[in-house]
Amino acid sequence: MASERKADDVLRRMAAVLLGVAMVAGACGDDDGGLVSTTAGPVTTAGGGTTATTPSTVGGGCTVEVTGDATATWTGPNDLSAFTSDYWYTEDELEQQFGMFGDPTEGTFDETLAAGGQIFTFFLFNCSGPNGELVNLTVSADATRADFPFGPGTYAITGGMFSGDEMGADEFSMLFAMNDTDVWGLDGAGTVTIAEWNGSRLAGSFTFNARESFVDTPRHLAVTGSFEVTCQASVQC
């Protein structure tokens, strides 16, 4: 029951994030005000990560390849549901999001922003396929701007759907699905590599292993992918 509640909480948060993206996009309209002026931070690494490389995705979107005890491939679109980040919004837009989803008992908007905390999320990525397939990558909710700067870097994936609070501030969790029925968890640790991240474009790759949950004989998979998404929801895109 505790695991089921954990899964429900994660899925509700994902739904809220995607709803927030759509609501902010609707409020901002189609105004084109140039690029975000934030300066990209230095390359950071988690667990001795390797140098970032350019992903193979061409023309925007994402690709996923699954090998092991089952195989699958899919591509996902470069749309509003693919990615969201505080770094791609203006302060006014972040304040809108705080008004919709923030918790005033944990501090005001100005206090959270001054402390370098996340208003919504610094990094939430989805690669969705046509038949319920999904890779979701999210940086820890404890990350600050100092922990997770705006720019290239390599970070560890250490949490899955049923992870506790043991993740480091600059580490990622993943959700993985190949359909609407099977349940998978992280098997070991993986890597998110951000090759390029500026005010208009994010490109990178990921790799992790997955283990089937709630079965007597679990299957094991290796999951790799790449992504190239563009800023779309802010007036500064």
Side-chain angles (χ1 to χ4, degrees), residues 55-57 62-65 125 135 204-208 223-227:
S56 60
T57 304
C62 58
T63 63
V64 177
E65 181 176 4
F125 163 78
V135 168
S205 59
F206 56 87
T207 180
F208 59 85
V223 183
T224 60
S226 61
F227 51 87

Side-chain angles (χ1 to χ4, degrees), residues 20-37 80 83-94 96-97 199-200 230-237:
V21 172
M23 293 176 71
V24 170
C28 294
D30 297 324
D31 189 17
D32 183 5
L35 302 182
V36 175
S37 60
L80 288 175
F83 182 72
T84 189
S85 172
D86 284 8
Y87 286 123
W88 272 359
Y89 291 111
T90 68
E91 187 171 325
D92 286 344
E93 289 165 349
L94 289 175
Q96 283 182 293
Q97 294 193 38
S200 60
T230 53
C231 179
Q232 302 178 45
S234 172
V235 297
Q236 294 196 96
C237 293

